Amino acid sequence: MVAERIDGKEFAAGLRSKVAEHVSRLKSDKGLTPGLAVVLVGEDPASQVYVRSKGRQTVEAGMKSFEHKLSDDTSEAELLALIDQLNNDADVHGILVQLPLPKHLNESLVINAIAPEKDVDGFHISNVGRLATGQSAMVPCTPLGCLLLLRDRLGDLSGLNAVVVGRSNIVGKPMAQLLLAKSCTVTVTHSRTRDIEKVCREADILVAAVGRPEMVKGSWIKPGATVIDVGINWIEKPEGGTRLVGDVDYDSASQIAGAITPVPGGVGPMTIACLLANTVTACCRSNGLEAPADLVN
Ligand code: NDP
């Protein structure tokens, strides 16, 4: 069997167009322009690329983009003062602090200083708790993107066995919560899991978010399973230079799975598209409007 390739790039483009339509309607009908503020502290090259890309796509969707680039030696007090200012800025509906932060800054303290209703990354403790308890929440963008791809392919996920490889706060745990909320039977695996290959072979849905290049092999996959590869790993090519691979060994996995996301072009583009969708949701809610039902539900 050769797996169907799940085209996240195309799906994300469709989601971005829907976002742009909603933005245009908010502007014309309500005089509102959703605004996203992105805060970058330091010079991390990967973070700079992400922030540029977020800013560009925000503007392309018709929204306001506010970029705040702070130096590596910014103090916690300075960063918290900026977040306070953004929390109180009516033009800013979403706030994202690009992670990781330099080591001298306390990540949880900073994230929890963001007003929960503007926390479009869904990392504030209140949104984490709301998601875990089934209340309406801002949902982290990468797992949300994975869920949209899964629902697009599989429809109702109820009763399916889902295995999530990785238990980070930004991907693995919220992914597990989202799948549980869709009535999957969820297993979360991590570096201490015994016989992880056997656990993975039980999965109708396998989500890999590990950060280990091509760790999940075809022999770990149940025939016909749907495989979502979150990994972004740059590896050296034998002939020199680097190439991007996921956490799943695509060549062997695509011989066994029913459907699989490629890297690049799978989950990656979904993350920013979901960020834009979350910003529209935040803008609507903060103005007492119903959030659009066709974006991320
Ligand atoms: P973390 O490093 O925070 O977490 C990795 C998880 O994988 C941990 O729970 C760890 O277990 C587990 N793990 C590590 N080694 C093994 C192993 N050998 N067997 C089983 N489990 C293992 O990573 P993130 O969740 O932040 O990211 C995961 C991947 O997703 C990365 O490649 C990252 O670049 C990518 N990513 C992609 C995004 C996108 O937009 N597409 C967004 C965010 C991340 P333990 O807890 O026991 O240490």
Side-chain angles (χ1 to χ4, degrees), residues 82-94:
L82 172 60
I83 291 174
D84 187 49
Q85 180 198 315
L86 297 173
N87 282 343
N88 290 300
D89 184 338
D91 284 343
V92 172
H93 304 98

Side-chain angles (χ1 to χ4, degrees), residues 40-41 44 47 97-103 107:
L40 173 64
V41 186
D44 179 63
S47 294
V97 175
Q98 185 66 41
L99 301 179
L101 287 171
K103 295 230 174 325
E107 224 159 75

